[in-house]
Amino acid sequence: MSQGCCRKLKTATREKLRKMNLLRGRDVLPSEFWDVVAVTAVDGSQRDSYERQIREKIERKELPLGAQYKVFSDPPGCKIGNGGSTLYALQQLNDIYGKALSNLRILLIHAGGFSQRLPSASALGKILMPLPLGDPIYQMLELKLAMYVDFPSQMKPGLMVTCADDIELYSIPEEERVSFDKPGFTALAHPSPLSMGTTHGVFVLDLHERSSFPEMESASCLSFLHKPSIDKMRDSGAVCRKQGGLFSMSDSEFVYTDSTYYMDFDTAKSLLNLLNELGPLNCEIDAYGDFLQALGPKATIEYTKNTANVTKEESSLVEIRQKIFFLLKGTPLNVILLNNSKFYHIGTTTEYLFHLTENEAFRSELGLLSSAFTVNVNENCSGCCIMHSVLDLSCSIEAGSVVEYSRLEAGVSVGGGSIISSCWVSSGLSVPAGAFMHTLCVSHQEQTTFVTVFFGIKDNLKKSVASPAHLEELLLFGFNLTKCLSHWGMENECLKFSGDASSCSLWNARLFPVCSEQQSSFLMSLRMLQAILSGTTSSPPRGTTLMSMQDCLRHKNLEEMLKLKRELHHDIKQGKHSI
């Protein structure tokens, strides 16, 4: 990207943040902001978590006031995907607003799921991940609202659909606006390498080879491909070629990939009627693959039988997809090409670390800080990111690490490339490089207790084996689980798994000790981690209850977690006043 394009992107992003900061904590005017901001949750527990946290944010005047903030949980039962969540959210919005719904501008943020690839966001939710900017400090919710701050005034009533763990930055000519006023769907599109197209949605457009591209333009989409192969992109005519300079792409070949999209109220009403016809959903529907692939004059029904990207294939899936196809076939898919734009995904531990500590372009575009809403950060903490935390001045945090919602006492050191989240680290302790450590409050035997989970940053918590007989296939910090157990004085037979007995993974392995205090919880887990790294032995005391990450979410004490965050907030405020 040229320096001029970078400057435009940075300037446009900072202007959106400025507008958002002006809206925070004040009553918004009609059409100045969303009428409704709706967030989806995977279940009732996550819904309660989101509702409480959003309520506290409104009380602290961290969000624009006057808009309606709603949280809708998926119904109990099978996984229904973000497409199913979209349908159920529409149903609940219709139950609340009735005929008035047709006059509302709604932002729908999909934030359901257990965040297994970024477990620090599992308990309180990825839409409320902290970010090192803003005063008061931003969370992902505020950043999403900031990036779309210009949309409501340029939008007819309808529904804007987006996800909680991605960020779209873009610039447009000063005299132009991104408008959502056409019937059907209108999607944002970003020029991307072909490799990115294999993991996203790709638009097939009627664009001829040309030497230059405007900063923004509108196009009509012929068809939409969902996570296609590079050969499929080429065969479908999705690959664009350029002769001269394109705003944000260095590759001579590229595709336009998806991010967020808008549907007008008539289209939303059609989907609502479809849900009434289908009844309770029993399969996974994708809000991108299953809705957008039905659109455009070249859309065909073949995709309805492709189940490669489905977590669990249900017998009714193809039938439901075909009903969606026939319902939406012929609906226009308008595309807004944002040629000077970037798409960032922050849904994994490695992405979180990279974007907050190493990605200088991203940090510059958003104006991210190395330390935000934190006291006592010294020169021994460079190249890292510390948020909403209290540190002793003698602490040392190596480059590439993130510390959030934590207390670090005298002499604590944290190795590079680690995540310390919601922890209380006692004096003199050393956290190894590449460690993920996160303390959760859980209710156990009618008591408030603490569990500190620990993993390697690159560990795969989703990988599962069929039985405990295959423990050597599960790797914790690069060591197979059988070896880890030996360092903790445990036999393979002692290890229990929560949930489905036919699926054994790091996510549901009962490895982590339950403790009565936050500090002792961290210490005990740290000693277990150090034992496997040093080849020594550290066994939890006899009779100690062990929980899995899955258990922790089932028994999380939300009230206590939020209380600890409030106490940190108070202490940081007091600490800043005393400096």
Side-chain angles (χ1 to χ4, degrees), residues 78-378:
C78 70
K79 187 175 181 179
I80 59 172
N82 54 17
S85 296
T86 300
L87 297 178
Y88 275 107
L90 278 170
Q91 184 182 67
Q92 292 174 86
L93 286 164
N94 187 62
D95 291 342
I96 295 168
Y97 296 105
K99 291 182 179 179
L101 186 63
S102 61
N103 297 316
L104 300 179
R105 295 167 179 84
I106 300 164
L107 177 64
L108 179 63
I109 306 174
H110 287 300
F114 296 119
S115 194
Q116 289 175 274
R117 296 185 297 168
L118 182 57
S120 51
S122 294
L124 298 181
K126 52 193 171 185
I127 192 60
L128 294 156
M129 291 188 296
L131 293 162
L133 77 161
D135 185 14
I137 191 171
Y138 270 46
Q139 291 178 313
M140 200 67 173
L141 176 58
E142 286 94 319
L143 187 57
K144 296 294 288 191
L145 295 176
M147 293 305 100
Y148 303 153
V149 71
D150 294 323
F151 290 174
S153 63
Q154 306 299 319
M155 173 179 158
K156 285 188 173 180
L159 188 73
M160 184 73 67
V161 178
T162 189
C163 294
D165 55 8
D166 58 56
I167 300 166
E168 303 88 31
L169 308 182
Y170 66 91
S171 71
I172 59 174
E174 192 173 322
E175 68 281 1
E176 295 191 33
R177 296 290 179 268
V178 179
S179 297
F180 302 94
D181 54 5
K182 295 178 180 177
F185 288 78
T186 301
L188 302 183
H190 313 271
S192 305
L194 271 60
S195 58
M196 183 178 284
T198 62
T199 58
H200 287 73
V202 173
F203 299 100
V204 180
L205 307 168
D206 188 14
L207 295 177
H208 301 289
E209 189 172 301
R210 45 194 170 149
S211 60
S212 64
F213 290 73
E215 223 171 332
M216 181 187 77
E217 60 184 315
S218 296
S220 182
C221 186
L222 300 176
S223 64
F224 178 85
L225 312 174
H226 187 56
K227 299 183 180 180
S229 66
I230 290 177
D231 286 343
K232 177 71 172 175
M233 294 180 220
R234 293 191 188 282
D235 293 344
S236 302
V239 177
C240 301
R241 297 171 180 83
K242 67 182 179 70
Q243 304 293 326
L246 178 67
F247 273 90
S248 62
M249 280 299 301
S250 57
D251 302 36
S252 60
E253 291 186 321
F254 64 95
V255 290
Y256 281 103
T257 55
D258 62 345
S259 61
T260 187
Y261 66 80
Y262 158 86
M263 68 176 85
D264 68 342
F265 178 72
D266 286 343
T267 304
K269 192 174 181 181
S270 295
L271 287 173
L272 185 58
N273 291 336
L274 173 69
L275 180 61
N276 292 333
E277 177 190 334
L278 294 174
L281 296 176
N282 60 0
C283 65
E284 204 174 333
I285 300 173
D286 192 280
Y288 294 83
D290 291 334
F291 293 167
L292 300 189
Q293 279 190 108
L295 311 176
K298 290 193 174 181
T300 64
I301 200 169
E302 276 102 14
Y303 78 88
T304 60
K305 297 178 182 178
N306 179 4
T307 58
N309 296 311
V310 177
T311 305
K312 184 177 180 182
E313 185 179 345
E314 301 289 349
S315 58
S316 60
L317 176 61
V318 172
E319 180 187 353
I320 289 177
R321 279 182 170 177
Q322 290 179 350
K323 287 185 176 181
I324 294 171
F325 175 79
F326 288 116
L327 172 77
L328 294 178
K329 184 172 173 55
T331 303
L333 175 54
N334 311 290
V335 181
I336 298 172
L337 310 182
L338 298 172
N339 287 319
N340 191 33
S341 65
K342 288 185 179 180
F343 176 94
Y344 293 103
H345 186 262
I346 307 185
T348 70
T349 51
T350 51
E351 288 171 343
Y352 197 53
L353 287 173
F354 174 67
H355 290 314
L356 295 194
T357 67
E358 294 182 53
N359 189 340
E360 289 305 322
F362 179 72
R363 288 169 54 81
S364 174
E365 287 152 6
L366 281 167
L368 299 186
L369 304 171
S370 295
S371 171
F373 198 61
T374 292
V375 289
N376 294 340
V377 177
N378 63 22

